[in-house]
Amino acid sequence: MSAGKSRLRLPAPFYYYVSFAALPLLGLAQTRVLTALLSQSAFGSLQLVTPIIRWCVVIGGLGTPQFIVRFYSRDGGAVLWESLSLSLAATAAVSLVLGGLAIAVDPRVADIRPGALLAVLLIAALFAGQFAALIKALLRVQERHLRYNMVVVLERVGILAGVALAVWWWPRSPIEAFLIGSTIGTAAVVLPIAARRRRSWRKAASAPEPHRLREILTFGGPIVGVMLLGEMYATLNRYVIGLAGMGTTLIARYVIGYTVATLGLQALYEPLVTYIHPRIFQAWERNGPAEAHRILGRYLLIYTLVGALTAAAFYLAEPWLIPLIAGSAYRVEPRVFAALLASSFLLGVYRLLSTHYYLAGRTGELALSYFVALLLNLLGAALLVRESGLFGVAMASAVSAGVLCLLVFWRASSLTEIARATVAT
């Protein structure tokens, strides 16, 4: 038997589950470090700043990573490089806006120190995050499963090490230290990969053709809306708590509870979605809607069964999980944690159901459904936070996630028929 034939080849889903299982552990390790080095109030203040970076990365990306994954099998390399050039230009524009806001921000908000240093650090973190997203999209669409998952894990390890060192070195400025550490950690992983492909990256300097630009913006615009709404759905409630005058200490407890509840289920559904989307899109292009929906239905059933068991296990383990990760002072009531688990489970169901919208090209409708759910979430949290505290905020998240799933499921069958008619014609 030849050496090539004797080599052990693990199935592709194995790599995704190993890496996505490592991500929650590394994320929790980072939380353990930050809560050990910072006071609850400082940790809560930091949680009001970090979501802004993620929002800006999503906006600067213009949905190009998803566009690449969706249409690479149809158009090949051309769609890749044109998408990259557009994304980098948009990221530069968003960076300038974010830097200007960092200079003008009110220092009383979350103890932020406005100025040129904060602006530079925010811009650097945004570019590092965007470049990492593009690198991972390239590896994912080329089905380099092992390398993709290595980058995902190593990026998180780099961020963990960078943030830990920076916050330990500069504890009086946790926001600036966090930005320095996360930027250096990300750059240390993605820049060597980019350097090895420096000849190929020159193609990204070419502007997309007009027809490609229209197609990217038409597809990517709603994607940006959906992703931005998703990021806001996960983070805006902490601002509701702050505006209600409940303090950054309570924000810190809510964030820890939400993080623990969410990471357990994200480790289940995110690798599932990451792995099956290219397969479903390829099945759609080659064999039509029936095969694509058969694959989706099978994995949706798997997630529903395993996800319910995972949520139950995390609920039972909560009395020692949160003290292990952040300390007993960060614990939330059991009913609050249960509501957060329900919200996370339902968001996983939504993530799989939403594939129907991508296949049918109706991402605008998906953004509208998510917007309705976000409004319900914020309205419910604002009405309940003063009377019921964190439980009211968590219940608003769970109920709105249920409404989102119902809206998406209700339209899924209609979109399937529309998609089949489109293919037939």
Side-chain angles (χ1 to χ4, degrees):
M1 183 178 294
S2 66
K5 292 183 179 179
S6 63
R7 183 181 301 171
L8 176 63
R9 291 192 176 185
L10 297 172
F14 173 82
Y15 300 118
Y16 287 94
Y17 272 102
V18 168
S19 66
F20 277 86
L23 290 183
L25 296 177
L26 293 169
L28 296 178
Q30 178 175 293
T31 301
R32 174 73 270 184
V33 170
L34 290 175
T35 53
L37 295 175
L38 301 175
S39 66
Q40 276 196 16
S41 178
F43 181 81
S45 296
L46 180 61
Q47 303 312 308
L48 294 176
V49 176
T50 52
I52 298 173
I53 300 296
R54 297 196 294 271
W55 299 349
C56 291
V57 169
V58 170
I59 294 171
L62 295 178
T64 51
Q66 293 72 31
F67 185 83
I68 292 168
V69 173
R70 176 64 181 88
F71 292 109
Y72 183 82
S73 61
R74 183 194 70 182
D75 299 332
V79 67
L80 175 65
W81 302 117
E82 290 176 341
S83 298
L84 292 180
S85 63
L86 180 61
S87 177
L88 293 175
T91 300
V94 174
S95 296
L96 294 176
V97 175
L98 184 62
L101 291 176
I103 295 174
V105 71
D106 188 336
R108 293 172 298 177
V109 179
D111 299 324
I112 296 174
R113 299 180 182 180
L117 175 61
L118 181 61
V120 170
L121 293 177
L122 286 169
I123 292 171
L126 179 55
F127 260 99
Q130 187 60 59
F131 205 63
L134 297 174
I135 289 285
K136 288 183 284 189
L138 171 62
L139 296 175
R140 180 182 170 193
V141 78
Q142 293 179 344
E143 296 192 72
R144 300 187 177 186
H145 303 300
L146 179 58
R147 185 169 297 181
Y148 170 85
N149 287 278
M150 285 180 62
V151 170
V152 169
V153 173
L154 290 176
E155 180 191 6
R156 178 65 70 176
V157 171
I159 292 174
L160 170 60
V163 167
L165 290 173
V167 174
W168 172 79
W169 174 64
W170 203 6
R172 295 184 179 180
S173 301
I175 294 172
E176 289 83 352
F178 181 89
L179 293 173
I180 292 173
S182 60
T183 300
I184 293 176
T186 300
V189 175
V190 299
L191 288 182
I193 298 175
R196 287 196 297 268
R197 294 173 171 267
R198 57 185 180 275
R199 293 183 179 178
S200 298
W201 285 101
R202 293 173 185 172
K203 300 177 183 178
S206 60
E209 297 291 333
H211 74 280
R212 183 79 69 193
L213 177 61
R214 288 192 298 270
E215 189 177 19
I216 292 173
L217 294 178
T218 300
F219 181 86
I223 293 292
V224 170
V226 171
M227 294 182 65
L228 188 59
L229 289 170
E231 292 286 348
M232 290 182 172
Y233 187 92
T235 54
L236 280 184
N237 278 351
R238 63 187 69 175
Y239 298 97
V240 173
I241 297 170
L243 290 173
M246 304 184 75
T248 54
T249 298
L250 210 58
I251 291 174
R253 292 176 58 197
Y254 179 82
V255 169
I256 293 296
Y258 185 90
T259 299
V260 174
T262 301
L263 286 177
L265 285 155
Q266 277 186 337
L268 177 63
Y269 67 76
E270 285 296 351
L272 208 59
V273 171
T274 302
Y275 173 68
I276 68 173
H277 266 186
R279 292 168 59 87
I280 290 174
F281 297 148
Q282 289 173 12
W284 174 272
E285 297 293 342
R286 296 172 182 173
N287 302 316
E291 177 67 12
H293 290 117
R294 183 187 67 80
I295 296 174
L296 177 60
R298 183 175 65 198
Y299 284 102
L300 179 60
L301 177 61
I302 292 173
Y303 169 75
T304 301
L305 295 175
V306 181
L309 294 175
T310 302
F314 265 71
Y315 179 77
L316 295 175
E318 184 275 334
W320 60 268
L321 266 179
I322 291 181
L324 176 66
I325 293 163
S328 300
Y330 285 88
R331 284 195 66 188
V332 295
E333 295 180 71
R335 59 176 184 165
V336 174
F337 192 68
L340 292 174
L341 282 170
S343 175
S344 181
F345 171 79
L346 291 170
L347 287 176
V349 174
Y350 151 77
R351 288 278 281 131
L352 289 161
L353 286 174
S354 64
T355 307
H356 291 283
Y357 289 77
Y358 295 100
L359 292 171
R362 298 301 183 94
T363 49
E365 290 188 30
L366 184 60
L368 180 60
S369 297
Y370 221 142
F371 181 69
V372 171
L374 178 61
L375 285 182
L376 288 175
N377 185 17
L378 291 178
L379 181 60
L383 292 175
L384 296 174
V385 64
R386 293 190 182 277
E387 285 191 14
S388 303
L390 294 186
F391 178 67
V393 178
M395 278 302 300
S397 178
V399 171
S400 59
V403 171
L404 176 61
C405 286
L406 289 175
L407 288 174
V408 174
F409 180 77
W410 171 65
R411 283 291 291 158
S413 58
S414 300
L415 291 172
T416 299
E417 296 303 321
I418 292 172
R420 286 174 177 167
T422 301
V423 171
T425 55

